[in-house]
């Protein structure tokens, strides 16, 4: 069974930086896309950034130029580098991975447990 483990959240001052990590574990699988979504208190979940296995990225306008998504395909791990953080970036950040298990063949779409990021002075 494919699972995700997230790490890296915490408290940071406005203008600071944090890096989130998301590792995919399991047996006989291939990861296609990985991404980060966030949910602020009282709001719905929104896309932050995604990355394909080929390295094509997509990011929300609100984070472009500040956040960078990357991945290490050999380690099945994705990273979200967050710079110039603002109070409005405060949210729980969820990692998502989509791909295929190979024995038996079936698709997966899994979520991490969430990492709280708080931007406050």
């Amino acid at each position: 069974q494919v699972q995700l483990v997230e790490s890296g959240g915490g408290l940071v001052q406005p203008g600071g930086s944090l890096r989130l990590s998301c590792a995919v574990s399991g047996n006989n699988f291939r990861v296609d896309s990985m991404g980060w979504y966030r949910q602020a208190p009282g709001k719905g979940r929104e896309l932050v950034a995604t990355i394909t296995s080929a390295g094509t990225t997509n990011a929300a306008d609100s984070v472009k130029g500040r956040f960078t998504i990357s991945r290490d395909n050999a380690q099945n791990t994705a990273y979200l580098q967050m710079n110039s953080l603002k109070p409005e970036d405060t949210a729980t950040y969820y990692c998502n991975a989509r791909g295929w298990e190979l024995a038996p063949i079936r698709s997966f779409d899994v979520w991490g447990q969430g990492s709280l990021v708080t931007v406050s002075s």
Side-chain angles (χ1 to χ4, degrees):
Q1 183 176 1
V2 175
Q3 295 181 317
L4 302 184
V5 176
E6 297 183 34
S7 61
L11 172 65
V12 64
Q13 292 186 342
S17 297
L18 280 176
R19 190 176 82 154
L20 304 181
S21 299
C22 173
V24 186
S25 64
N27 294 309
N28 294 321
F29 64 91
R30 184 191 75 198
V31 182
D32 289 338
S33 66
M34 298 186 72
W36 295 93
Y37 296 74
R38 68 185 181 186
Q39 187 166 15
K43 295 187 177 181
R45 191 172 294 190
E46 63 176 2
L47 168 74
V48 177
T50 61
I51 185 167
T52 68
S53 58
T56 301
T57 62
N58 180 47
D61 288 343
S62 60
V63 307
K64 284 180 180 177
R66 300 188 299 121
F67 292 11
T68 301
I69 188 170
S70 61
R71 64 189 279 180
D72 181 337
N73 288 333
Q75 299 295 323
N76 290 309
T77 300
Y79 305 95
L80 185 69
Q81 178 66 43
M82 303 183 291
N83 299 328
S84 302
L85 282 159
K86 304 175 181 180
E88 52 263 43
D89 294 318
T90 296
T92 298
Y93 285 70
Y94 296 92
C95 180
N96 172 258
R98 299 171 185 177
W100 294 89
E101 293 181 84
L102 304 179
I105 296 176
R106 58 188 176 191
S107 64
F108 65 82
D109 183 346
V110 295
W111 293 86
Q113 77 276 16
S115 298
L116 180 61
V117 172
T118 303
V119 185
S120 176
S121 55

